[in-house]
Amino acid sequence: MKTAVKTGGAAAPAPAAKKKSQFQEVWGRFKKNHLALFGMLLILLMILMVIFSPIIAPYGFDEQNYYEIFASPSLQHLCGTDNLGRDVFSRLLYGGRVSLTIGIISVGIGLLCGGLIGALAGYYGGKLDNTLMRFIDILMAIPSVILAISICAALGPGLVNTMIAVGVASIPNYARILRSSILSIKQQEYVEAARAIGASNSRIISKHIVPNSLSGLIVQASMGVGRAIISAASMSFIGLGIAPPNPEWGAMLSAGRTYFRDYPHMVLFPGIAIFLAVLSMNLIGDGLRDALDPRLKR
Amino acid sequence: MSEKNFLEVKDLTIHYETDGGVVEAVNGVSFSLAQGETLGLVGETGAGKTTIALGIMNLVPNPPGKIKAGEIVFEGEDLLKKKPKEMRRIRGDKISMIFQDPMTALNPVKTVADQISEVIRLHQKLSRADALRKACEMLELVGISAERINDYPHQFSGGMKQRVVIAIALACNPSLLIADEPTTALDVTIQAQVIEMMGRLKEELKTSMILITHDLGVVAEMCDKVAIMYAGEVVEYGALEDIYEGEHHHPYTVGLFGAIPDLDKDTDRLTPIDGLMPDPMALPQGCNFCPRCPHRRPECETLPPKPHEVSPGHTIRCHLFGKEEA
């Protein structure tokens, strides 16, 4: 072992050159996971379809055709039509804009705020922890749908307000998860070691503790996308979310419920859309968690 | 600043105030260290060695820990009076620490390159590339090929991880290195290598060191001064020769040396010191060692002994010695 000390600075620049960026490394590991890659392709495809919905969609989302109400899926109407004769496929495309945005942004809001609260509470402990977590307890004491409804009612209906409402309602989950993992990680010796080399608190939290506690958060977030889409749906169901006739997957789902027995396609296709979105987010989440953990590196 | 006063710890008292009571972890410890010297801090588990180390770094977990009294004068300035920001600048740069367990002292999700260059970039204005080059040099210095700089901690063996920890500790050329049982978690063959390497680096970089250990053999090899600790107090303090070859000793030191197995003697059992360390929440009224001491006297139970200088630089905290002189 001791003989390894040979070349002082001569060998040093070589590894510097081959060092890959963090992103490249994670991506390298991520793309080996075929399922995760599939999930990523799926969500990308959905996002593209949604973005180009005016081009792709055969009909307008509010185009009613009373001659063809409750039409079964056919070549004219890929996913059939609904009770007002609107093309379900077109509505799915337009609705995806709203649903995917709500799903991703509201999870982002919850993740950021919840993560920040959880990180501060877990790291500093004591009075700050108590104050923040009691605040979180208040949020938790109110059922999340009711909380979202009341926020939405206070802010008024609309896309942005729905995202805020759904995001805020999910803060407690993320805060609790991050706090608990930080509580265990801050006891680790490498945190003390970081303190011993003179790192500041914010640096220790962001560079040492949070990267070590990401895995639980990633899984929770990828599941959260689906949950956010559904709760946004319940918002619009009671008239607080997206106002009809604007389509939205959750709203389509609940609108189709009445006709479920006779015309299942009205429920089936929005359901499949939500399912695919959630599935792909979960696959990505799993892949990301593994890719971010260097111990699983091959 | 005189050579003598490079590091001076005076009457350091650290208590942990828990709900269950006050743990008197360190009680009035004093010692000093000159440039380039190594002090061995020896004692059983729970004697307060690590707390002293954390005290010097000003990292005693608070709450519950609290530095109740004392001064830590480092390069002429009292570290206990420093602001957190000033202290952060000293940690890792002028004073750094090697932790006991290399398995947990490295962040598992960051490469060794990131972790070594982190300390360099925190304290020196270097570009990312320069810091990385310096990190490679440090890695070579501790005997690991620089090619492994982009590996993660789990890809190293225990001994190599400890080398990495040492590389981090030495990266900014600290003038004081605190090594908290650096070899305890390693197996014996690696221990010897690491000790040898630390000794060599210390010579090369002219670093002073506080070595915390249970291992009297390591102390004999590395240290210039030794402080024997018992229940939060330094019971005997002196130069290496005083402790290992001197005539007079604290009964606890005698017991410690007596517990070392002797290769030349054919014995079935080792000779332990009877009894247990006192509960630090309820220390005895008199001498802390009194309940286990074979030379116990009546005054030991009521009167705490004062440090007594048996020869220049060699102090013993025991009633046996104060009396003889007086």
Side-chain angles (χ1 to χ4, degrees):
Chain A
M1 266 203 172
K2 261 170 271 157
T3 50
V5 199
K6 275 179 294 190
T7 47
K18 102 177 169 191
K19 180 175 160 76
K20 283 191 273 185
S21 76
Q22 182 98 25
F23 175 77
Q24 279 171 312
E25 224 175 83
V26 169
W27 172 243
R29 266 175 272 155
F30 183 84
K31 71 181 176 194
K32 284 197 191 118
N33 186 340
H34 297 291
L35 268 178
L37 217 53
F38 170 71
M40 191 144 179
L41 281 179
L42 200 62
I43 199 85
L44 277 180
L45 190 71
M46 290 172 91
I47 289 175
L48 281 179
M49 282 176 77
V50 155
I51 289 176
F52 294 109
S53 49
I55 302 170
I56 302 171
Y59 305 90
F61 62 85
D62 52 357
E63 217 175 294
Q64 302 178 1
N65 182 351
Y66 285 100
Y67 295 106
E68 286 190 84
I69 57 171
F70 300 123
S72 297
S74 64
L75 278 180
Q76 259 101 45
H77 298 285
L78 278 179
C79 304
T81 59
D82 65 3
N83 54 330
L84 298 172
R86 296 176 294 193
D87 183 54
V88 173
F89 180 63
S90 309
R91 285 177 66 75
L92 277 181
L93 288 178
Y94 283 102
R97 293 181 156 187
V98 176
S99 290
L100 287 180
T101 320
I102 288 181
I104 292 167
I105 305 257
S106 62
V107 163
I109 294 175
L111 201 59
L112 271 181
C113 301
L116 194 68
I117 293 177
L120 292 177
Y123 184 76
Y124 288 102
K127 275 191 194 127
L128 184 70
D129 180 29
N130 237 326
T131 320
L132 288 174
M133 290 325 278
R134 293 305 76 79
F135 168 68
I136 294 293
D137 283 347
I138 294 173
L139 284 185
M140 283 193 101
I142 310 167
S144 62
V145 171
I146 302 210
L147 182 64
I149 289 173
S150 45
I151 296 172
C152 227
L155 298 176
L159 180 61
V160 176
N161 291 343
T162 310
M163 291 190 298
I164 293 176
V166 175
V168 169
S170 68
I171 285 178
N173 288 327
Y174 300 110
R176 296 230 139 212
I177 288 178
L178 198 62
R179 174 177 176 267
S180 64
S181 60
I182 281 182
L183 276 183
S184 63
I185 287 166
K186 78 167 177 182
Q187 308 289 341
Q188 298 285 322
E189 215 164 33
Y190 55 79
V191 173
E192 204 177 358
R195 218 168 279 146
I197 61 168
S200 62
N201 282 331
S202 56
R203 190 183 176 87
I204 291 175
I205 294 179
S206 62
K207 300 267 169 174
H208 292 274
I209 295 185
V210 170
N212 273 298
S213 50
L214 272 184
S215 57
L217 220 52
I218 289 175
V219 173
Q220 175 76 13
S222 58
M223 308 272 275
V225 171
R227 213 172 301 141
I229 293 177
I230 301 291
S231 35
S234 50
M235 276 325 87
S236 46
F237 182 65
I238 54 167
L240 283 171
I242 307 306
N246 289 328
E248 188 247 311
W249 291 349
M252 291 169 73
L253 203 62
S254 49
R257 208 174 44 196
T258 334
Y259 314 101
F260 179 53
R261 204 181 276 220
D262 301 315
Y263 309 105
H265 66 266
M266 277 179 66
V267 180
L268 199 59
F269 291 106
I272 288 176
I274 295 178
F275 162 72
L276 285 180
V278 174
L279 175 74
S280 55
M281 289 312 277
N282 277 349
L283 290 177
I284 293 174
D286 272 0
L288 209 56
R289 189 200 53 201
D290 292 349
L292 284 174
D293 188 346
R295 273 162 295 195
L296 298 174
K297 190 160 113 172
R298 263 168 288 175
Chain B
M1 180 190 93
S2 73
E3 276 272 290
K4 192 89 194 136
N5 283 346
F6 170 67
L7 175 75
E8 219 173 317
V9 175
K10 285 182 208 149
D11 274 326
L12 185 65
T13 306
I14 302 174
H15 289 177
Y16 291 105
E17 290 167 354
T18 64
D19 292 339
V22 177
V23 179
E24 299 177 7
V26 176
N27 303 308
V29 166
S30 306
F31 56 81
S32 66
L33 198 61
Q35 191 99 42
E37 264 187 341
T38 300
L39 170 78
L41 223 48
V42 186
E44 323 177 35
T45 310
K49 298 168 303 203
T50 303
T51 306
I52 290 183
L54 292 177
I56 295 173
M57 301 287 280
N58 215 336
L59 280 178
V60 179
N62 178 19
K66 217 167 185 184
I67 301 182
K68 301 290 278 189
E71 278 175 48
I72 299 169
V73 182
F74 174 72
E75 294 185 339
E77 288 175 271
D78 189 350
L79 292 183
L80 296 180
K81 295 205 177 87
K82 291 250 179 214
K83 293 196 191 80
K85 205 174 168 197
E86 296 172 316
M87 205 50 221
R88 271 211 295 278
R89 228 170 287 138
I90 291 177
R91 278 182 216 138
D93 192 25
K94 290 193 171 149
I95 307 180
S96 61
M97 188 159 174
I98 296 175
F99 286 84
Q100 188 168 352
D101 187 357
M103 306 297 166
T104 56
L106 294 171
N107 188 337
V109 302
K110 297 178 85 184
T111 61
V112 164
D114 285 344
Q115 301 193 46
I116 304 180
S117 31
E118 179 176 21
V119 60
I120 299 171
R121 279 168 60 85
L122 273 175
H123 296 290
Q124 296 170 11
K125 284 198 169 59
L126 284 181
S127 71
R128 206 168 273 274
D130 286 341
L132 189 66
R133 204 161 300 127
K134 181 98 192 282
C136 289
E137 282 171 29
M138 287 316 297
L139 210 57
E140 295 265 344
L141 190 67
V142 295
I144 300 175
S145 155
E147 281 164 29
R148 302 206 53 188
I149 191 90
N150 285 322
D151 284 355
Y152 286 91
H154 69 278
Q155 292 164 309
F156 289 93
S157 69
M160 288 171 101
K161 273 188 217 171
Q162 190 62 297
R163 285 160 190 263
V164 173
V165 172
I166 292 172
I168 294 174
L170 293 177
C172 287
N173 247 333
S175 42
L176 175 64
L177 180 66
I178 302 173
D180 185 2
E181 304 189 23
T183 55
T184 308
L186 306 175
D187 66 60
V188 183
T189 46
I190 307 296
Q191 270 184 20
Q193 286 180 11
V194 169
I195 288 289
E196 191 262 357
M197 188 192 75
M198 281 175 55
R200 183 168 50 82
L201 292 179
K202 187 181 78 89
E203 293 291 306
E204 271 175 37
L205 305 171
K206 308 238 181 318
T207 311
S208 313
M209 185 153 92
I210 296 178
L211 180 70
I212 297 175
T213 182
H214 306 287
D215 192 334
L216 286 164
V218 172
V219 170
E221 199 166 315
M222 303 269 297
C223 299
D224 306 305
K225 281 180 179 174
V226 184
I228 310 271
M229 291 206 54
Y230 184 77
E233 283 175 345
V234 172
V235 292
E236 186 166 351
Y237 173 65
L240 188 67
E241 305 82 53
D242 293 334
I243 305 289
Y244 280 74
E245 283 151 25
E247 271 177 64
H248 303 295
H249 289 300
H250 190 280
Y252 179 62
T253 316
V254 177
L256 269 189
F257 278 90
I260 299 175
D262 191 337
L263 285 180
D264 301 330
K265 270 190 223 141
D266 189 19
T267 46
D268 290 336
R269 290 180 158 273
L270 303 176
T271 18
I273 307 176
D274 285 331
L276 288 173
M277 282 258 283
D279 180 0
M281 286 202 200
L283 290 177
Q285 202 189 356
C287 171
N288 288 338
F289 187 58
C290 147
R292 300 167 77 180
C293 183
H295 310 290
R296 185 165 53 230
R297 293 181 187 181
E299 70 261 34
C300 296
E301 290 183 20
T302 51
L303 210 65
K306 294 253 176 312
H308 176 77
E309 195 158 24
V310 284
S311 61
H314 182 196
T315 54
I316 298 178
R317 196 187 271 264
C318 180
H319 285 304
L320 290 177
F321 298 94
K323 276 278 150 55
E324 275 169 27
E325 293 269 312

